[in-house]
Amino acid sequence: MTTIDPVARAEELRAAIRYHGHRYHVLDEPEIADAEYDALIRELEALEEWHPDLITPDSPTQRVGGAVSDLFAPVTHRRRLFSLDNADTIDELRAWEERLVRQVGQTPGGYSCELKIDGLAVSLTYQDGVLTRGATRGDGITGEDITANLRMIESIPLRLLGAPPALLEVRGEVYMPYAAFEALNLRQAESGERMFINPRNAAAGSVRQKDPTIAGERQLAIWIYQAGLIEGGPTLATHGETMEYLASLGLRVNPASSIVPDLDAVIAYVEAAERTRNDHEYQTDGVVVKVDSIPLQEELGFTARAPRWAVAYKFPPEERTTRLLSIEINVGRTGAATPYAVLEPVFVGGANVTNATLHNEEQIRVKDLRIADTVVVRRAGDVIPEVVGPVLSLRTGEERSWTMPENCPFCGNPIVRPEGEKVARCSGGLSCPSRLREWLAFFAGRSAMDIEGLGYKTIQLLVDERLIADPADIFFLTPEAFDGFEGWGDVSVANLMAGIDAARDRPIARLVIALGIRHVGPKAAEEFASVFRSIDRLVTATEEELLAIDGIGPTIARAWVEWVAEDENRALLEKFRRGGVRMEDPEPEAGEVSDVLAGVTLVVSGTLTGFSRDDAQNAITSRGGKATGSVSKNTTALVVGENPGASKVARAEALGVPVIDEAVFVEMLERGRQALG
Ligand code: IVH
């Protein structure tokens, strides 16, 4: 075992902290994630606690991080802007309260719980109600004068309302809402400029522009969270009252804050905040807890770095840096070749991440990702992990750019990308084992034929053992085929056979969906089925006949006609028939189709894969249902696609309205309310 030399380690940590501190605070170009920077500081603090003789006056622990840049005029804050100590666990929160109680001899009797906004701290000074100065925090003592830029932010009043005090200094967090961040990055990419890594960097970069119109264009906003100084105004007894007072002056105070009686209630707030951390229109990275009573705050005072009366509970980080080891491709059910990143494993957003989708070649180019880059990886909530971008300053010159391979790694056939299309495709058809596997998984999936017992692992086995070469082969499987397969006893084989048998009798729309034809999604399949009622009639339908159907446009009509024009596709349909799959729907009884959703009210949020917004609405209303825009207690269910509105989901959950995915929605279009189980 090697022992660590504390002197050398302290120097090493100081150098690293100075370097990264400068990149973060002065250049706005951090190359490590905040959590990693914090870890360096914490390690140094711990080391200095054990070896106080190692502390030097210029150690980064001896001041609040940050340096003053020479781009803007320095301003000395009237009162110092302190930083906050962190608590990473609930136990650390309890330890924080124990320290308070020890110092003041009582439990504080009330805490303010607030979301910790991930933006940048600013100080605003109002003299006789007029905004006279706006500054960055800087090192807490001296900041930068960014008044001109802050004046461009709509939520910062230039003049206060009501009867403002003679002098008021407030602190708050300037941030960039996600929507503005995404729009900004889109513009940056389109104009060939560098994209921002996250909303905080984008906000910081925006307020430190020489040209204030840029800050104005970027839709920044502010939440005010503290009064620094009030002269010639009321004397306030609690933080809560102070915030109410500031709000009454027209300052923007976050309504998500809450005054709670004790630490148990703080913990409940923290847990709820962590669960819903991605439901806001802005990025949050924790909860700030403050003692509510101002006399108690004064009694508790400050350490060198931070107030004793407040603490920041930090959520586990959702962004980390790691190495991009290689870029591989997946071939999906339509043959689309999708690149993904193979990463050095990194624990982020509460999970170990080793792979992340890269969408397409274009994205890799726009982000300028190269193999061997150090990259920022983001995993927020249940959203699939994403490679945000490379850390350019860590490039060594050894990195290699990537291009789509010429041949499919699964079947060796050429990968082609038609002019003007973003997506490259394997040309191998069903001879490509990857494509076959993905198609089968989709075919058997809940939104298609819904074959119980036929999951990904089983499909993999059946493909590997060459028992299945196309989806119709599923219906020719016999129990004997499983003889000798490990883990396949009589019961599991019988269950699978029953699952397959049940799938033989699905409405024909399900079969049409399951064919996985590009552009022919659930909505089109339902329309086809309701008009033609049989696969045979659909096969002979002309493009004109299809176009005559409400909601079917030329892309869908052509896609279907071209698909059935292929001999092998028609042969596949015949094979389904031979396999006992239903090829016709019974004629509807009068009124049956139109009122399956009578009395049902649905709200759709986010992007569905098989329906445009209008399609989904039509599908609901044409079945006698109601489609509305907001969730209420009268809503039957909330249908969520990709990126649903967080407030809708939260409201549905609060009201006990079922939240369903697209597969259940498709089922509701067939079976109405029953599909909710
Ligand atoms: S109070 C003395 N409240 O977090 C108390 N800070 O890590 C000073 N922050 O510099 C801060 N949301 O930039 C406070 N509701 C909130 C906050 C908040 C975000 C930031 C602020 C501060 C940093 C400390």
Side-chain angles (χ1 to χ4, degrees), residues 82 84 114-117 121 137 173 225-226 288 290 307:
F82 281 86
L84 288 175
E114 305 168 9
L115 297 179
K116 187 168 184 314
I117 313 297
R137 188 182 76 180
E173 198 84 351
Y225 54 64
Q226 199 197 2
V288 179
K290 301 170 183 172

Side-chain angles (χ1 to χ4, degrees), residues 80-86 114-122 137 171-173 223-226 239 257 285 287-288 290 302 305-307 309-310 312 314:
R80 182 165 164 188
L81 271 72
F82 281 86
S83 184
L84 288 175
D85 281 334
N86 291 337
E114 305 168 9
L115 297 179
K116 187 168 184 314
I117 313 297
D118 204 4
L120 76 153
V122 299
R137 188 182 76 180
R171 288 88 190 264
E173 198 84 351
W223 291 121
I224 299 295
Y225 54 64
Q226 199 197 2
H239 178 74
S257 304
D285 60 345
V287 170
V288 179
K290 301 170 183 172
F302 297 83
R305 199 181 102 92
W309 46 264
K314 286 284 215 73

Side-chain angles (χ1 to χ4, degrees), residues 276 278-281 603 605 629-632 638 640 643-655 659:
T276 55
N278 294 306
D279 296 356
H280 310 285
E281 58 169 28
V603 178
S605 182
S630 64
V631 177
S632 74
L638 170 66
V640 295
N643 293 322
S647 57
K648 287 193 182 136
V649 176
R651 195 163 157 75
E653 278 169 359
L655 293 170
V659 178

